């Protein structure tokens, strides 16, 4: 996978320099492959993953695409570059994600409590009388949220919202089933 990411970064960088479209299959959160045609703007590295940011001609809006979810990446024909500054593009993407935001309440054990400010804003963390910590925050409703919650293992319990709790349990069952296959 690491070699593929390096190759993708090279292809994307050249497409950005040459104002060429990118065409690829993208795996969405429902594990469906959808072909995307994107006018690439820049490459970004955040939270340990590489992304290409650009105007998606399928969604007719700016989007962020995680490179590990891209398959069969190739350059397409040239395109006329849109004149929108990076900060405005970032705001468009932020607004798009905020439309899918949900408020999440997480309960953490006292064992991990001292480390929570590494992951959450201090104002979002409260310590309960029973020694547990609560974190209440708003996140984009996407697969990455489930993985983030699971990354804390047994130190964390998702309390709210209930529908996300059910989805998290289903996600864990699917992971176990695929692991056992």
């Amino acid at each position: 996978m690491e070699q593929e990411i390096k190759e993708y970064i090279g292809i994307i960088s050249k497409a950005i320099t040459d104002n060429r479209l990118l065409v690829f299959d993208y795996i969405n959160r429902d594990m469906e492959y959808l072909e995307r045609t994107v006018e690439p703007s820049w490459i970004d590295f955040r939270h340990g993953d590489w992304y290409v940011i650009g105007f998606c001609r399928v969604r007719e809006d700016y989007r962020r695409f995680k490179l590990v979810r891209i398959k069969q990446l190739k350059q397409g024909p040239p395109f006329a570059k849109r004149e929108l500054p990076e900060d405005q593009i970032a705001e468009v993407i932020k607004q798009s994600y905020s439309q899918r935001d949900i408020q999440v309440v997480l309960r953490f054990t006292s064992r991990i409590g001292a480390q929570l400010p590494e992951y959450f804003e201090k104002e979002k963390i409260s310590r309960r009388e029973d020694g547990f910590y609560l974190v209440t925050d708003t996140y984009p409703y996407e697969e990455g949220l489930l993985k983030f919650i699971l990354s804390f293992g047994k130190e964390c319990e998702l309390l709210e919202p209930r529908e996300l709790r059910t989805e998290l349990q289903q996600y864990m069952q699917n992971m176990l089933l695929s692991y056992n296959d």
Side-chain angles (χ1 to χ4, degrees):
M1 185 57 101
E2 190 174 313
Q3 184 59 36
E4 186 177 52
I5 297 296
K6 287 179 184 177
E7 291 172 15
Y8 283 2
I9 290 172
I11 292 168
I12 294 166
S13 295
K14 184 141 178 55
I16 292 169
T17 301
D18 297 344
N19 289 336
R20 297 186 72 87
L21 293 172
L22 292 173
V23 180
F24 53 85
D25 289 334
Y26 194 70
I27 306 167
N28 68 13
R29 61 177 291 161
D30 296 321
M31 300 305 289
E32 301 167 326
Y33 283 86
L34 301 172
E35 185 176 87
R36 299 297 181 100
T37 301
V38 174
E39 301 170 12
S41 298
W42 75 88
I43 299 172
D44 192 20
F45 185 78
R46 64 174 54 216
H47 309 294
D49 290 301
W50 288 99
Y51 296 83
V52 59
I53 288 78
F55 186 85
C56 177
R57 290 190 170 178
V58 174
R59 298 287 186 226
E60 296 183 359
D61 206 354
Y62 283 94
R63 292 285 194 266
R64 179 174 52 222
F65 298 94
K66 190 182 244 185
L67 267 55
V68 296
R69 297 170 110 192
I70 291 175
K71 301 296 175 211
Q72 300 180 19
L73 174 68
K74 58 187 178 259
Q75 287 189 16
F79 69 94
K81 196 170 190 104
R82 296 172 191 266
E83 297 301 322
L84 196 61
E86 281 188 19
D87 60 334
Q88 289 181 2
I89 294 171
E91 186 59 33
V92 168
I93 292 170
K94 181 180 174 186
Q95 292 299 323
S96 171
Y97 277 100
S98 70
Q99 292 174 2
R100 298 178 294 180
D101 281 355
I102 59 171
Q103 185 168 344
V104 175
V105 179
L106 303 170
R107 183 173 73 172
F108 289 90
T109 64
S110 58
R111 189 174 139 200
I112 196 172
Q115 297 172 350
L116 292 177
E118 295 177 29
Y119 304 98
F120 307 99
E121 296 174 21
K122 289 181 182 180
E123 306 81 52
K124 310 286 182 173
I125 304 167
S126 63
R127 185 171 182 159
R128 296 177 10 166
E129 289 181 18
D130 61 5
F132 284 94
Y133 289 82
L134 286 184
V135 174
T136 303
D137 207 348
T138 303
Y139 295 96
Y141 180 57
E142 62 181 11
E143 181 186 357
L145 175 58
L146 298 178
K147 290 179 180 178
F148 175 69
I149 294 168
L150 286 173
S151 72
F152 293 103
K154 294 180 181 180
E155 305 296 326
C156 176
E157 179 184 3
L158 172 63
L159 299 180
E160 295 178 28
R162 273 245 183 263
E163 60 273 7
L164 186 62
R165 186 181 170 107
T166 302
E167 187 176 335
L168 184 63
Q169 291 167 343
Q170 183 63 44
Y171 184 83
M172 289 178 3
Q173 287 175 345
N174 290 341
M175 284 178 49
L176 285 172
L177 288 173
S178 66
Y179 180 75
N180 291 328
D181 285 345

